[in-house]
Amino acid sequence: MGAVATCVGLLMQKVNDFGSVHTQWQRATDFQWTIDAECYGKPAQWWFAGDGRNEQSKTTQRALRVCECCTVRADCLEYALSFPFPWIGVFGGMTPQQRHKEAVRRV
């Protein structure tokens, strides 16, 4: 199982515990793009070490470097932004804090 697919499962566990900042949330059903992700087959803990919130940690930096050259980075980011808050882990080349800023910018 790829890191993104594993991360999706971990996020789903967290989603049910918290309210959403989105008025409607629909879970994406097409995960075909995850096969082309640079993180596919890499350890999921790289993207979830300390929830990905410490941008300076070695594991978060490693995850961000992998994301830099990923061809499906935009798809991953859109997927991550579709999840209700709170966000955890590195997705789409962004930490939870960076995704929050991006979501606010888009409103």
Side-chain angles (χ1 to χ4, degrees), residues 1-17:
M1 180 180 292
V4 172
T6 301
C7 294
V8 168
L10 292 172
L11 279 174
M12 290 306 299
Q13 292 172 8
K14 296 282 186 181
V15 165
N16 293 328
D17 296 333

Side-chain angles (χ1 to χ4, degrees), residues 69-82:
C69 60
C70 185
T71 60
V72 296
R73 183 176 173 178
D75 295 315
C76 185
L77 178 59
E78 291 305 314
Y79 176 74
L81 291 174
S82 75

